[in-house]
Amino acid sequence: LLSATLWVLGSACAQTAAPAQPAPSADGAYVIDPRSKLAWPRCVEGMQWNGQTCTGEPRLMTHGEAAALATARFKAEGVAWRLPRLTELRRWAGSEQGRALFPGDPQDWTWTSTSRIDTTQSSPYAYDNITRGSLGTQDRLGVQQGWAVHLGTGEARGDVARKTALIVRLVRPQP
């Protein structure tokens, strides 16, 4: 009975496949990530995949220009291109896996789609707050600042002026 139980457990474990790992597409131009269900271009905007690495110069854009590029590609191709979220981009940035999957990446700051929200608490009983008209919690959307990730270190900052020209890598849904 014990050996039959172990055989059943062993068979069940053998049938359970490990989660699929990110891997290059058939043509090598994208990294297909089954976890996020995204296709990542191997190269940032302005650089080209030559079959081995990325060549050329990265195209630097403001946050608004990067968002406009994603919208233009969506209209032209019918594919939902967008800037990656902070957590999505940090998964690759500064990691050995990221360096292997994205060879030739510039090791610099890159835009994300994550918005910056400042939330501050103020006391309704503090004299300075009363004179300024500040009561309770204030939520302010930092419309002039955005989040960026450093591709070399994985560091993230939420205080980058959106008019700053940074590297851009768009992502799209997995084909």
Side-chain angles (χ1 to χ4, degrees):
L1 180 64
L2 181 58
S3 63
T5 303
L6 290 175
W7 181 82
V8 169
L9 287 174
S11 296
C13 289
Q15 292 176 358
T16 304
Q21 294 296 312
S25 60
D27 65 0
Y30 293 91
V31 170
I32 306 300
D33 184 7
R35 178 174 139 188
S36 65
K37 297 183 177 29
L38 291 175
W40 294 77
R42 302 282 297 268
C43 303
V44 298
E45 292 300 315
M47 298 182 80
Q48 297 80 34
W49 181 250
N50 70 7
Q52 301 282 324
T53 190
C54 295
T55 59
E57 292 296 317
R59 181 177 168 200
L60 304 179
M61 294 180 241
T62 65
H63 195 274
E65 290 168 339
L69 176 64
T71 300
R73 283 221 184 125
F74 173 70
K75 289 178 180 176
E77 301 171 17
V79 177
W81 287 97
R82 64 175 175 81
L83 285 167
R85 293 180 194 94
L86 174 72
T87 53
E88 293 167 341
L89 189 56
R90 281 191 82 188
R91 178 173 179 207
W92 309 115
S95 72
E96 288 300 320
Q97 184 181 33
R99 281 188 273 285
L101 292 171
F102 302 100
D105 253 3
Q107 304 296 296
D108 212 341
W109 292 98
T110 304
W111 282 120
T112 73
S113 64
T114 303
S115 297
R116 179 168 192 246
I117 298 176
D118 284 337
T119 301
T120 56
Q121 287 282 351
S122 59
S123 169
Y125 305 107
Y127 181 75
D128 288 342
N129 291 334
I130 293 170
T131 59
R132 284 191 312 249
S134 301
L135 299 173
T137 301
Q138 302 170 340
D139 292 329
R140 297 185 310 258
L141 180 62
V143 294
Q144 295 184 4
Q145 295 178 324
W147 281 91
V149 172
H150 193 280
L151 293 177
T153 65
E155 178 186 356
R157 295 189 60 159
D159 60 352
V160 181
R162 288 182 180 234
K163 63 183 178 182
T164 305
L166 298 180
I167 294 168
V168 173
R169 172 180 271 123
L170 299 179
V171 296
R172 65 180 179 85
Q174 183 177 321

